[in-house]
Amino acid sequence: MALQHCYPQSSSTLIHPTTALKPPKTPSFQISKLPPKPIQIPSFKELCKQGNLKEAFQAFNTFFTNQNPSQLPSDEVYSSILELCASKKALAQGRQIHAHILTSNLASDSVFLNTKLVFMYGKCGTLLDAQNLFDEMPKRTIFTWNAMIGAFVSNGEPLEAIELYREMRVSDVAVDACTFPSILKACGLLKDLDYGTEMHGLAVKCGFVSNVFVVNSLVSMYSKCDDFHGARVLFDRMTEKDDVVSWNSMISAYSSNGRSLEALSLFREMQMDGVFMNSYTVVGVLQACQEPHFLRLGMEIHAALLKSSREIEVYETNALLVMYSRCGKIGDALRMFREINEKDNVSWNSMLSGFVQNELYAEAISFFCEVLDMGNQIDQVSVISIISALGRLGNLFNGMEVHACAIKHAFDSDLQVGNTIIDMYGKCGSVNYMQQVFDRMPEKDLISWTTVIAGNAQNGCYVEALELFCRALKEGVKVDAMMIGSALLACSSLRCVSHVKQIHCYMLRQGLLDLVLENTIVDSYGECTEIDYASRMFEKIENKDVVSWTSMISCYGHNGFANEALELFYSMGEAGIEPDMIAMVSVISACASLSALKKGKEIHAFLVRKGFSLEGSVASSLVDMYAHCGCVSNSYKLFNFVQNKDLILWTSMINASGMHGEGKEAINFFHKMLDAGLKPDHITFLALLHACSHSGLIDEGRRYLDLMRSEYNLEPWPEHYACLVDLLARAKCLTEAYNFVTNMTIEPTAAVWCALLGACRVHSDNELGEIVANKLLELDPDNPGNYVLASNVFASEGRWKDVDDVRMRMRTRGLKKNPACSWIEVGNKVHAFMVRDKSHPQSEEIYSKLTQITERLERAGYVAETKFVLHNVQEEEKKRMLNGHSERLAIAFGLIGTPTSQPIRITKNLRVCGDCHVFTKLVSKFFERKIIVRDSNRFHHFEGGVCSCGDFW
């Protein structure tokens, strides 16, 4: 695979082709077979204790030149050098000593040397050699058994260690104090508290419970089995606590299990008892300080280390590095790293992980290149860190490169590496590669299943995510909240309420319904438009948090229950729950849906008062809210106030201008956005095309549809085509619009035909309208709005039989027309009116006012245009029906209930009819009131008898 630079400033590729991740070669020291003179044992033992492997072998080698064969080194000499090889994990040199012992015929009857060899092979990680040697021994002592048990434990085979211990007991070999630490460690690794407790009883019975090493092992075992009470009771019962190892065992137990406060309290108690800390204490306490509020104590320990005369050990420096990284002090961590003279793999990996943990992914990649440039060997830990960084950056190419490196060096067989690779491909959107890695994993755990299901769900492969979820259940995987959350995301996205109910039932049966999942269930039912289920689930949540309230507010808002969303928001405040950013965005959207300007301003003031940052999604929502409330001037002010304008904010401003008929202004915003260096997306172009449509900018609409394809390689959605069709049709270019639809590169959707049909009715092109109506009903037979449009086409021609047929088809399918409804905000309440509505408390006053308005307009020359009443009734009935339209009731109520200086703001769920449009223009003129009406298409600003739409809507 070709290698690319991660950064322009780096001269190194991510993975060097020449970097071979092979085990480091251990130098081989040749040993003569015959010693020249007897070895001076005391001096040689001291030399081995000093830990210099090369010098020890040179000294050992000199004894074999011209030496009498009868003068062989003693067992103690071999023992010393084997212990050195074990401590240095020098396997090659250990094998040479073994060979020398064999050629000297010393091992055949020396239980002592064979035991030392078993110990050496175990420490060097070659279990097979240790076990073969152990099995071949004709005689064994307790030391031999302990060496082999210890080899199993230190090489991650605790179960085999316990099995061997049981075999030893069957062989009637008596245990000693050294047996317990290994077996207790095995119990801790297996989290087998029962067997650990049994070993504790045996230690008491054998009288080893007073042995400090045994007690420390017991403390460690209890803590690893999560029995901290048992560990602490045992520690507190110790009569003498002057051994720092005992304190370290307890401190490390607390630290490694996230119980920082207990660890630090114990550390203070240790200091008060006058026990001096050592390097292991430092590491344990620094591990407890890996939270920001404990950073100060960690810095004090760092200062104490600097003041001490001794040299700071590398593992202490590594612990400091990790502490600073976890506390967000990555600069201090990097300084610590640079000051380490002899860095080990832990140092490099800790620094790399620090960058990733602090979301400095680009810096992590640059650092990784530095690691390679310096010739360091990467391992599983560094691979996990760099793949995590590449996944979060969406850097697929380099991610595949590292994956190839992991395969080459067999790291991909590691479970954690495999899980991280799956996550990387999921975050990069490469679902096929992600699935292949998952399928080829030799071993899968809960994280593997959860990651691959989440990857599918987050990348739009909802069916695949649910299939994997079912497969996991069939294979007996014990699912958790995260996996269920991903499955619910898939169900919500598919709007599959039956699957949501099934998963809900499964959670109830398995007892998995915690607060997080309860909130997710509310979200899921809301996404599936099951408001009643969502509301009932919300009511059942006992300890509602901010997410619970926000989920229900969003559920109401997204499903058209804006009033309920606002009421719930106020109830949330009464319950003493402080809203978060998501809740605020949801309630702002509810205000926008209702065009409730006063409430919107209250929410805006609340945001300012509570110190919310008016940036990002909040700023975009406020811009959108003011625009939907008919106060686009406030949208402009807020837009200009925001310092960091992102793509969503620019798109919101383009949309705000467009919906108010200011198409030229929308285009101006679009070009300013381009000048700011932002790249438009599909939503931006959709807002721009809507703006062109509302303002009749035909040439501009054509140009921008071509621009998104040619300049930005964005394939138009059906909604983009529908905008252009709507634009052409509204401009009476019906033939061109029809030709455009029939020649589209993709199959026209119902939305495209719907846009054309609406224009056919407006411009009375009944012949084309009938063709389009039939096509629309064929494509989308379950949308009641399509039947209404088709019915209106037939009604405008007086084809009442066809109208009855269409309405019968609607009833047969169980479909109902959405009734016309208008809203107006008066006082501190949003009032709703249906057609010919008489449910309002001031209904009589409203109708009386409407009669006065109509009489005055008729005196001024107003004549009702009954052609807009598409019902087979008499003219007088048509006039009466027009007079009962919901927006007229709202206007009358607005004239009654609002000051003369205040604009009347009305929202309607359907398109304003032609007669009501004329009516409202005349009201604005003769009653000298500005009226702002938002219908399903756009805004109309009526003032002085003129509408901002120019009668183009």
Side-chain angles (χ1 to χ4, degrees), residues 566-629:
L566 281 173
E567 288 173 6
L568 194 63
F569 175 74
Y570 289 117
S571 299
M572 177 181 175
E574 291 169 3
I577 303 293
E578 286 290 328
D580 60 6
M581 196 73 76
I582 300 172
M584 297 312 303
V585 169
S586 298
V587 78
I588 291 168
S589 298
C591 293
S593 298
L594 292 170
S595 292
L597 179 62
K598 186 174 180 181
K599 290 188 181 296
K601 286 183 174 179
E602 288 177 5
I603 301 298
H604 187 177
F606 177 85
L607 286 166
V608 174
R609 199 165 59 249
K610 292 292 184 179
F612 280 87
S613 173
L614 298 184
E615 299 281 343
S617 57
V618 169
S620 302
S621 299
L622 285 171
V623 164
D624 187 64
M625 182 272 293
Y626 280 119
H628 277 81
C629 292

Side-chain angles (χ1 to χ4, degrees), residues 668-731:
N668 185 38
F669 274 114
F670 177 74
H671 287 288
K672 284 182 178 178
M673 182 194 78
L674 297 182
D675 292 340
L678 293 172
K679 185 179 178 181
D681 61 5
H682 282 90
I683 306 297
T684 309
F685 275 108
L686 193 58
L688 187 62
L689 289 170
H690 270 299
C692 293
S693 176
H694 292 322
S695 300
L697 303 174
I698 301 174
D699 293 336
E700 289 84 350
R702 291 193 189 102
R703 185 169 70 251
Y704 289 121
L705 187 66
D706 290 335
L707 183 70
M708 71 179 292
R709 284 182 293 202
S710 59
E711 185 73 20
Y712 296 100
N713 296 319
L714 296 173
E715 189 59 35
W717 294 342
E719 291 83 357
H720 295 95
Y721 290 118
C723 277
L724 190 62
V725 169
D726 184 64
L727 174 57
L728 293 170
R730 286 178 187 278

